[in-house]
Amino acid sequence: MPQHLISCSGGKDSTAVYLLAIESGRPFRAVFADTGNEHELTYEYVARLHERTGGPKVEVVRADFTADLARHRAYLLREWPKQGIPDAIVQEAAALHEPTGNPYLDLCISKGRFPSRMAQFCTGELKEIPITTQVVGPMLRNGPVLQWLGIRAAESRNRAKQPRFNHHESGSMVWRPIFRWSIDQVWEIHKRHGIERNPLYTMGMGRVGCMPCINCRKSELRAIAAQFPEHIERIERWEAVVSASNKRRSATFFPAVTDPTDVDRPGTYSRIRTLVEWSKTGRGGRQYDMFFAQQPGGGCASDLGLCESTDHG
Ligand code: SF4
């Protein structure tokens, strides 16, 4: 008999799968990968899911970049002076290569950049690897593991192409039990169990996950800035820290290019505060329009679908 594992994000689809697992009557474990970039309501929702449902307590895993930070600090102390980088900059960057305890920020400092749609290392480093190494691997030592994923075809064209079952490179099997479900079915199972949806949905968020996600749309950025300005302020602080920890002395959360009509900073990426202001007015910012028009709204490239998307269907 396989051991069953549910990955919970605090979003509606993974909660639906958790509830479905309860209905199945099988014993299972549930795990939440804390990126460090989640909303406090999501932490609360996941932490209390077992109390509200009678299911198992959701275990929390976090990536640890202590070794990566130490390795990169040793590298920059050795190599940057040879590249003519001023000592004050080297020392400042080295001092910032200490673990902060926040996985997302530590990952960005160790990489010297934020993830992006083209280099979406966040899902793998912050979710897939910690879940695989800290939970799936140890479970596999006791026998086969079946991971139940909250992926629905309606979420995106990419997700619609995924199989119902497949092998994962970790050695587990993965199953998408709500693959053909509509959004109504997702809410229906919440109702059946008397479970409120994550409050973020009723506060204007189309999806639950990083706050914000690097893949978010303009409307989501505007909604976050309006309702949760402290999260934008946090990202502003992170931009300053990640900038000071790399030799380019620059790092922006979104790789959105400054409008060419912006004479002050032509051709550079814009910081989140500029994009938030633009998201409120829509004036100018043709480059920003182009960037955000291509944003998928969430989701990840991982076949474990660990980051929620907004529905396309
Ligand atoms: S929710 Fe977005 S930012 Fe967060 S790990 Fe997933 S893809 Fe990356």
Side-chain angles (χ1 to χ4, degrees):
M1 287 288 284
Q3 306 160 86
H4 300 277
L5 178 67
I6 319 296
S7 296
C8 291
S9 68
K12 60 189 182 309
D13 297 317
S14 62
T15 302
V17 171
Y18 177 95
L19 298 173
L20 194 63
I22 292 174
E23 288 184 1
S24 78
R26 300 179 178 107
F28 68 94
R29 287 173 67 179
V31 62
F32 168 70
D34 175 12
T35 63
N37 188 19
E38 312 286 332
H39 193 279
E40 49 279 13
L41 288 170
T42 297
Y43 290 122
E44 198 264 342
Y45 190 83
V46 170
R48 297 196 52 209
L49 195 55
H50 66 294
E51 292 170 14
R52 291 168 170 151
T53 60
K57 188 165 169 43
V58 180
E59 300 164 41
V60 179
V61 293
R62 285 183 196 91
D64 180 356
F65 298 102
T66 305
D68 302 74
L69 289 166
R71 207 165 28 244
H72 197 246
R73 182 174 55 241
Y75 168 84
L76 71 87
L77 284 169
R78 191 178 64 243
E79 298 299 326
W80 287 11
K82 295 181 199 163
Q83 298 166 16
I85 295 173
D87 189 52
I89 290 178
V90 175
Q91 294 308 324
E92 183 180 18
L96 289 168
H97 278 67
E98 288 292 338
T100 66
N102 184 300
Y104 204 109
L105 179 56
D106 286 351
L107 172 63
C108 296
I109 294 171
S110 73
K111 297 266 189 197
R113 58 168 294 181
F114 289 89
S116 68
R117 198 163 66 237
M118 303 306 288
Q120 197 170 300
F121 49 80
C122 46
T123 315
E125 297 272 3
L126 297 167
K127 296 186 174 182
E128 191 163 346
I129 293 174
I131 289 173
T132 301
T133 56
Q134 296 177 39
V135 180
V136 178
M139 284 175 83
L140 281 167
R141 288 200 276 278
N142 295 324
V145 175
L146 181 64
Q147 297 198 63
W148 301 32
L149 308 182
I151 292 179
R152 290 180 303 112
E155 285 181 280
S156 72
R157 280 186 289 279
N158 274 349
R159 290 193 172 177
K161 291 181 202 150
Q162 294 187 358
R164 296 292 289 269
F165 276 101
N166 63 282
H167 281 282
H168 185 251
E169 59 192 7
S170 63
S172 68
M173 285 291 293
V174 294
W175 179 34
R176 298 163 182 80
I178 63 166
F179 193 66
R180 291 286 165 214
W181 281 27
S182 66
I183 184 102
D184 289 342
Q185 287 173 288
V186 170
W187 294 134
E188 175 54 36
I189 197 167
H190 281 67
K191 216 164 125 189
R192 209 156 58 233
H193 288 259
I195 300 300
E196 293 296 327
R197 57 189 71 180
N198 184 318
L200 291 174
Y201 292 117
T202 46
M203 297 170 90
M205 301 295 119
R207 49 168 284 286
V208 164
C210 284
M211 182 70 44
C213 170
I214 53 161
N215 292 317
C216 82
R217 298 205 179 104
K218 179 183 179 183
S219 55
E220 186 182 346
L221 182 61
R222 185 172 56 235
I224 292 171
Q227 303 223 46
F228 313 117
E230 65 281 10
H231 285 276
I232 300 295
E233 285 158 17
R234 174 174 53 77
I235 299 291
E236 276 188 295
R237 290 195 297 276
W238 286 7
E239 284 183 330
V241 170
V242 179
S243 294
S245 65
N246 74 57
K247 63 184 174 191
R248 294 183 315 282
R249 311 291 286 167
S250 170
T252 60
F253 190 78
F254 295 107
V257 179
T258 306
D259 191 304
T261 60
D262 179 347
V263 291
D264 294 331
R265 303 174 66 227
T268 56
Y269 292 140
S270 294
R271 291 183 182 269
I272 196 163
R273 179 58 57 191
T274 304
L275 293 167
V276 162
E277 294 310 317
W278 161 80
S279 77
K280 292 177 192 165
T281 66
R283 276 200 300 277
R286 282 168 295 167
Q287 297 292 109
Y288 304 154
D289 275 328
M290 283 166 56
F291 174 81
F292 278 92
Q294 290 165 17
Q295 287 283 84
C300 60
S302 153
D303 66 351
L304 293 184
L306 296 169
C307 303
E308 192 179 41
S309 295
T310 38
D311 264 44
H312 283 203

